[in-house]
Amino acid sequence: MPGPIQSLSRAAAIMRLLAGGERRLGLSEVATALDLAKGTAHGILRTLQQEGFVEQDPESGKYQLGAELLRLGQSYLDVHELRARALVWADDLARAAGETVYLGVLHQQGVLIVHHVFRPDDTRQVLEVGSMQPLHSTALGKVLMAYDPVARGELGEGPLEAYTSRTLTELGDIDAECALIRERGWADAIEETWEGVASIGALIQDRRRNPVGAVCISGAVERVCEDGFVRPSLVASVRSAARAISRDLGAGRF
Amino acid sequence: MPGPIQSLSRAAAIMRLLAGGERRLGLSEVATALDLAKGTAHGILRTLQQEGFVEQDPESGKYQLGAELLRLGQSYLDVHELRARALVWADDLARAAGETVYLGVLHQQGVLIVHHVFRPDDTRQVLEVGSMQPLHSTALGKVLMAYDPVARGELGEGPLEAYTSRTLTELGDIDAECALIRERGWADAIEETWEGVASIGALIQDRRRNPVGAVCISGAVERVCEDGFVRPSLVASVRSAARAISRDLGAGRF
DNA sequence: GACAGGCGGTCGACATTGTCGACCGAGTGG
DNA sequence: CCACTCGGTCGACAATGTCGACCGCCTGTC
């Protein structure tokens, strides 16, 4: 039976739809958005609700995502081997560099943040675990594209969004950048996604040398850069953390 | 069609199964655990994998939860109105009390933590957003049971697990405790779940006075308690935070 | 205040769709 | 080298999910 189960794919589409829209959605909105009969959409929603994946506001009757997703997402993190091994190294890196540390993996057309260490100071920061970052304008994303053909393939051919004036939007430029990244072994992104923010990333490999994720530090361009280039000492810290995590992942084998 | 969609319910059961077991599960294990034909289980797993809800270790062929769940779980938090409104109040409460703050909602037979503010000191702490706490032995759970008949109903009739010697395990004791909680307007739990930990919780209501969640502070019994009772000043802080959040939730209406 | 239009939800007929159990090739341990 | 178990496939069958019409309710309008 090499075909996806229709009702399941539709349920997934509904959940993604609910995740995308900021506000709650009504039954009819869901049905028309996905081109389903109202009865069909209702059946799926009712089941999802029963399972806790979707909740219904009893007042308006509109639907939103449910708590079970949060619980399962947490379980995903619990089992995540890369994340587990990287926890302590990421902590050390944040302390050594004095900057925010992200750990990301390829997911669909972006980088999913699976771990986030706050910059070690007292400013209020929001946890970004579970959020996505673009592939073509972040150090994490560029590292993954440089080493993982699948990641590069996710860019497609469409025009790339320019978040700032420094964002690379031409596929040719991206490929040249990737070649450079492979050559020197690390990636940077200076104000390519957010004004004023620069990041430095390096690859994490598993025991068979497959790319499985990336670490990066991210911080104000004034601190991370010097004379328009990222500080070599920070690059060294990031690469050493990435090597340490990769070694840790391979430990089971040797 | 007032019946759940079979394939969806089964998919949900598979994901819960994967979330429960600490390690990855093979196809046959899943099939036998849920009493499904191997082909059926495989079809569901394949679809879930395609949608990103499940990942397969290419080496062993075993299955685990997928990254999409983390992303959707995060989206759940983004939309969560109670959490959004409570963010700043929880922060203030943590600072004022000098203790860890949790925000929880009823989910199935437990309390799901939707927000967590670390105790304001430099000790290393792990984020518990997305994890579950028991109903009958935590301040959060007892508050919810005292005011929400649904929560009380989730206890069922079975024997309650005793986590410590102070855990209430008799339903009669629980009901008496709930009556007391309703009378005085707050709940405590002193070493009822974890040795050495005490917590104080209060109810959060929405604009129609329905119970929607609870806040609590939690910390070492030496700091939270005095002469065997929780410190009145901390109780006052928690109750005031709960009132503030409830008021915030009702703001839309008045 | 009656109407119209929208909502969420239900119903029953239909055939599409998911299910089942036998089967396959690969890997593994005895 | 066999025998076992693994993940995965296949095709027949009917159980299952789907569809579109319909229902009652609420809201806003004329």
Side-chain angles (χ1 to χ4, degrees), chain A residues 106 109-111 133-138 141-142 144-145 151 154-155:
Chain A
L106 175 69
Q109 287 85 49
V111 182
Q133 292 186 1
L135 274 178
H136 67 284
S137 65
T138 62
K142 291 199 287 187
L144 289 175
M145 283 194 300
E154 292 294 344
L155 275 193

Side-chain angles (χ1 to χ4, degrees), chain A residues 1 16 46 51 59 208, chain B residues 1 16 46 51 208:
Chain A
M1 182 200 352
R16 268 193 284 272
R46 180 158 33 74
E51 302 290 345
E59 196 160 349
R208 291 200 316 283
Chain B
M1 184 204 345
R16 267 193 282 272
R46 181 158 34 74
E51 302 290 346
R208 291 201 318 282

Side-chain angles (χ1 to χ4, degrees), chain A residues 10 30-37:
Chain A
R10 287 173 166 180
V30 171
T32 60
L34 298 175
D35 208 26
L36 296 175

Side-chain angles (χ1 to χ4, degrees), chain B residues 102-106 111 134-152 168 174 177-189 192 199-205 210-217 235 238-239 242 246:
Chain B
Y102 293 107
L103 190 72
V105 298
L106 175 69
V111 182
L135 274 178
H136 67 284
S137 64
T138 61
L140 289 179
K142 290 199 287 186
V143 164
L144 289 175
M145 283 195 299
Y147 292 96
D148 187 347
V150 176
R152 171 60 183 81
L168 298 181
I174 296 280
E177 176 91 355
C178 286
L180 173 63
I181 291 167
R182 276 189 299 269
E183 191 178 327
R184 69 188 182 188
W186 53 275
D188 61 359
E192 292 178 26
S199 54
I200 307 169
L203 185 74
I204 302 173
Q205 301 170 309
N210 293 121
V212 292
V215 239
C216 82
I217 62 171
V235 172
V238 173
R239 297 188 68 183
S246 299

Side-chain angles (χ1 to χ4, degrees), chain B residues 219-239:
Chain B
V221 65
E222 295 82 8
R223 289 192 310 268
V224 175
C225 296
E226 199 169 29
D227 304 329
F229 295 96
V230 295
R231 306 171 91 101
S233 65
L234 292 176
V235 172
S237 296
V238 173
R239 297 188 68 183

Side-chain angles (χ1 to χ4, degrees), chain B residues 5-247:
Chain B
I5 292 182
Q6 190 188 44
S7 54
L8 260 180
S9 299
R10 287 173 167 181
I14 287 181
M15 287 195 280
R16 267 193 282 272
L17 181 68
L18 289 175
E22 285 306 304
R23 63 181 217 298
R24 294 185 256 258
L25 261 46
L27 169 62
S28 304
E29 290 177 284
V30 171
T32 58
L34 298 176
D35 207 26
L36 295 176
K38 246 192 326 185
T40 305
H42 178 58
I44 295 172
L45 279 168
R46 181 158 34 74
T47 308
L48 286 175
Q49 179 184 12
Q50 196 166 307
E51 302 290 346
F53 291 96
V54 151
E55 290 170 4
Q56 187 176 22
D57 180 16
E59 198 161 347
S60 64
K62 293 186 185 298
Y63 295 92
Q64 62 177 330
L65 292 182
E68 185 74 356
L69 285 170
L70 182 61
R71 200 178 68 85
L72 291 180
Q74 183 65 22
S75 297
Y76 166 75
L77 286 181
D78 289 344
V79 180
H80 204 281
E81 190 183 355
L82 164 60
R83 178 175 179 270
R85 304 248 187 208
L87 284 182
V88 53
W89 299 109
D91 229 77
D92 288 351
L93 175 58
R95 210 182 332 262
E99 297 292 346
T100 302
V101 170
Y102 293 107
L103 190 72
V105 298
L106 175 69
H107 179 61
Q108 293 167 354
Q109 287 86 48
V111 182
L112 181 72
I113 304 300
V114 296
H115 188 53
H116 176 183
V117 185
F118 288 151
R119 181 156 52 92
D121 64 15
D122 289 339
T123 59
R124 192 174 299 184
Q125 300 166 68
V126 290
L127 193 75
E128 292 185 55
V129 169
S131 62
M132 300 273 289
Q133 290 186 2
L135 274 178
H136 67 284
S137 64
T138 61
L140 289 179
K142 290 199 287 186
V143 164
L144 289 175
M145 283 195 299
Y147 292 96
D148 187 347
V150 176
R152 171 60 183 81
E154 291 294 345
L155 274 193
E157 316 170 352
L160 301 174
E161 188 172 352
Y163 304 105
T164 74
S165 59
R166 301 189 58 159
T167 307
L168 298 181
T169 56
E170 296 297 325
L171 289 180
D173 295 344
I174 296 280
D175 286 330
E177 176 91 355
C178 286
L180 173 63
I181 291 167
R182 276 189 299 269
E183 191 178 327
R184 69 188 182 188
W186 53 275
D188 61 359
I190 306 175
E191 301 193 287
E192 292 178 26
T193 311
W194 304 279
E195 300 283 355
V197 175
S199 54
I200 307 169
L203 185 74
I204 302 173
Q205 301 170 309
D206 68 3
R207 51 185 75 93
R208 291 201 318 282
R209 306 268 170 198
N210 293 121
V212 292
V215 239
C216 82
I217 62 171
S218 181
V221 65
E222 295 82 8
R223 289 192 310 268
V224 175
C225 296
E226 199 169 29
D227 304 329
F229 295 96
V230 295
R231 306 171 91 101
S233 65
L234 292 176
V235 172
S237 296
V238 173
R239 297 188 68 183
S240 130
R243 270 195 303 271
I245 299 169
S246 299
R247 207 181 314 123

